[in-house]
Amino acid sequence: MTYRLPSVTIDAGVLASPSPNCTMEDAYQYVDTLLDWSRLLDEPWIAIYMSEQASESLFADSLYPLREHLSELFNKHGIVEFDVNTVARIVDQLLAITPSFETYYRVNDVLADAIKTDPDVIRLTTHDALKSDLARCITLIAVLRKHCDQPLGGHSLILRKAPRQVVRVKARIHDIEHTRDDIPILPCPPDFFEGEVLVCDDFRGLITCLDECAILVGASDNLGIELAIRIALFKKMIAQGDAPDWNDLIAPRIGAEFRALCQRCCGDQGTSLPPKILRSIVETIQGQNLQDVHALRQGPGGNDPQRMRGSDKAQRRDIDREFHLHYWECADGKVELASVGYHNDFSIPG
């Protein structure tokens, strides 16, 4: 099976209302986090899943239905900016997501004990059913991540709190029920299975978990190319100390031949070229390192006229010594990516 979208599984504990005795900051953060994750439901670039046991676990821990808990929380902290019914409907909507994580990835269940994580994220919750479901899910995700094809960009587990991005998982696995053909025979007790899971607790953390290079190389259409560029730009802005708004990040126009030419060069070079390509594109967007940009001319001479497409100017940016990014600097101020090519290739698709 080929997975075309980045994906996330939302831990049921994220949906549980905090204790009314929590701080006001925690109460507001809980609601803000729910609103953030609910917005992902309308995003075409990511697939969202819940555990098939999420509702059952919340109910078993007397945390669902949610309205009574939310009313107590909102009254305790004087929260009037949000409506209890609206927030409860968001939770209901998330719990109603189909298919479940288990159904989509064709892993039914796992029988395991001595499950430990580093950091210890399982014991961040004190509710027994939620703790059990998280332990089960995190073990399944670790197995999939270690042995199976991943979605383009990867799969992340959304937690209430994520101490760091990578969580190491260790467990004695007695049995795993699945209908896949790519899960090998796992270590039998007393031997331990060991793996890793990517985790996050906010939107910024989710984006930093995604692998923009894998998305660039594996994209089947221009939407995938645009997603890889937006992720790279988002990460660059964070590294610069900015606080980017995902919805404000606009990728350049993608020329008709760019994806195929870019991916062909990446296929020739392995993993070394994609991050350089994305760095060059981001620098082009931000107008940085202009010493690496040269006019793409009609002939080999330094005084030959620049190639034009109407009022659009052809530009050539150094990616490294061997590869170059060719793009159109359009009359309306936009950039249109045209191709990635070798050093001696001076062509540019129109």
Side-chain angles (χ1 to χ4, degrees), residues 52-179:
E52 63 183 15
Q53 297 183 16
S55 297
E56 178 183 333
S57 299
L58 287 165
F59 188 81
D61 285 329
S62 300
L63 297 169
Y64 189 80
L66 198 63
R67 283 171 175 78
E68 182 178 338
H69 296 281
L70 288 175
S71 295
E72 188 176 1
L73 179 71
F74 285 18
N75 290 335
K76 171 76 172 182
H77 294 286
I79 298 175
V80 295
E81 298 91 336
F82 305 104
D83 176 72
V84 167
N85 289 329
T86 299
V87 176
R89 280 196 298 270
I90 289 173
V91 172
D92 291 342
Q93 187 179 18
L94 291 169
L95 288 172
I97 291 173
T98 56
S100 67
F101 158 77
E102 293 89 341
T103 297
Y104 188 78
Y105 287 102
R106 295 181 287 128
V107 285
N108 301 325
D109 207 350
V110 61
L111 178 62
D113 64 9
I115 301 172
K116 295 182 179 180
T117 64
D118 179 21
D120 190 353
V121 295
I122 295 175
R123 289 169 181 78
L124 290 176
T125 178
T126 58
H127 300 285
D128 291 339
L130 290 180
K131 186 183 298 184
S132 177
D133 190 45
L134 175 56
R136 185 180 64 86
C137 287
I138 207 168
T139 303
L140 287 171
I141 293 172
V143 170
L144 290 170
R145 177 174 170 80
K146 184 169 185 176
H147 294 294
C148 306
D149 288 340
Q150 291 291 296
L152 285 182
H155 181 87
S156 302
L157 176 63
I158 296 175
L159 301 175
R160 175 70 64 84
K161 292 187 183 296
R164 66 171 184 240
Q165 187 180 86
V166 178
V167 171
R168 292 194 291 271
V169 181
K170 185 175 182 180
R172 285 198 301 249
I173 297 180
H174 298 270
D175 189 25
I176 182 168
E177 299 177 20
H178 65 89
T179 56

Side-chain angles (χ1 to χ4, degrees), residues 7-11 14 25 28-40 45-46 156-165 198-210 234-235 238 242-244 246:
S7 64
V8 296
T9 294
I10 302 178
D11 173 46
V14 173
E25 180 182 359
Y28 275 97
Q29 184 176 5
Y30 163 74
V31 178
D32 287 339
T33 299
L34 284 181
L35 292 172
D36 279 346
W37 297 135
S38 69
R39 293 186 185 104
L40 289 182
W45 55 269
I46 193 163
S156 302
L157 176 63
I158 296 175
L159 301 175
R160 175 70 64 84
K161 292 187 183 296
R164 66 171 184 240
Q165 187 180 86
L198 295 178
V199 301
C200 59
D201 54 21
D202 59 17
F203 186 81
R204 171 173 167 170
L206 169 61
I207 298 300
T208 57
C209 280
L210 297 178
F234 189 93
K235 292 182 178 180
I238 289 175
D242 299 328
W246 175 258

Side-chain angles (χ1 to χ4, degrees), residues 289-344:
N289 293 332
L290 296 179
Q291 72 276 6
D292 294 333
V293 179
H294 315 281
L296 190 56
R297 302 188 181 278
Q298 296 179 10
N303 294 323
D304 287 336
Q306 187 173 19
R307 294 190 185 186
M308 302 292 292
R309 185 184 62 180
S311 299
D312 302 338
K313 300 177 181 179
Q315 302 285 17
R316 174 177 169 94
R317 175 182 281 271
D318 301 336
I319 294 175
D320 56 20
R321 288 189 175 184
E322 187 173 4
F323 291 95
H324 298 269
L325 173 70
H326 291 178
Y327 62 92
W328 293 103
E329 191 176 276
C330 300
D332 62 3
K334 303 292 186 181
V335 167
E336 180 183 314
L337 303 179
S339 64
V340 172
Y342 287 86
H343 178 75
N344 59 355

Side-chain angles (χ1 to χ4, degrees), residues 235-269:
K235 292 182 178 180
K236 175 69 177 297
M237 293 178 72
I238 289 175
Q240 293 173 163
D242 299 328
D245 185 330
W246 175 258
N247 294 320
D248 291 340
L249 302 183
I250 306 299
R253 295 170 182 156
I254 310 297
E257 298 182 47
F258 179 80
R259 181 179 66 85
L261 295 172
C262 173
Q263 291 177 340
R264 185 176 67 187
C265 290
C266 290
D268 294 340
Q269 297 296 309

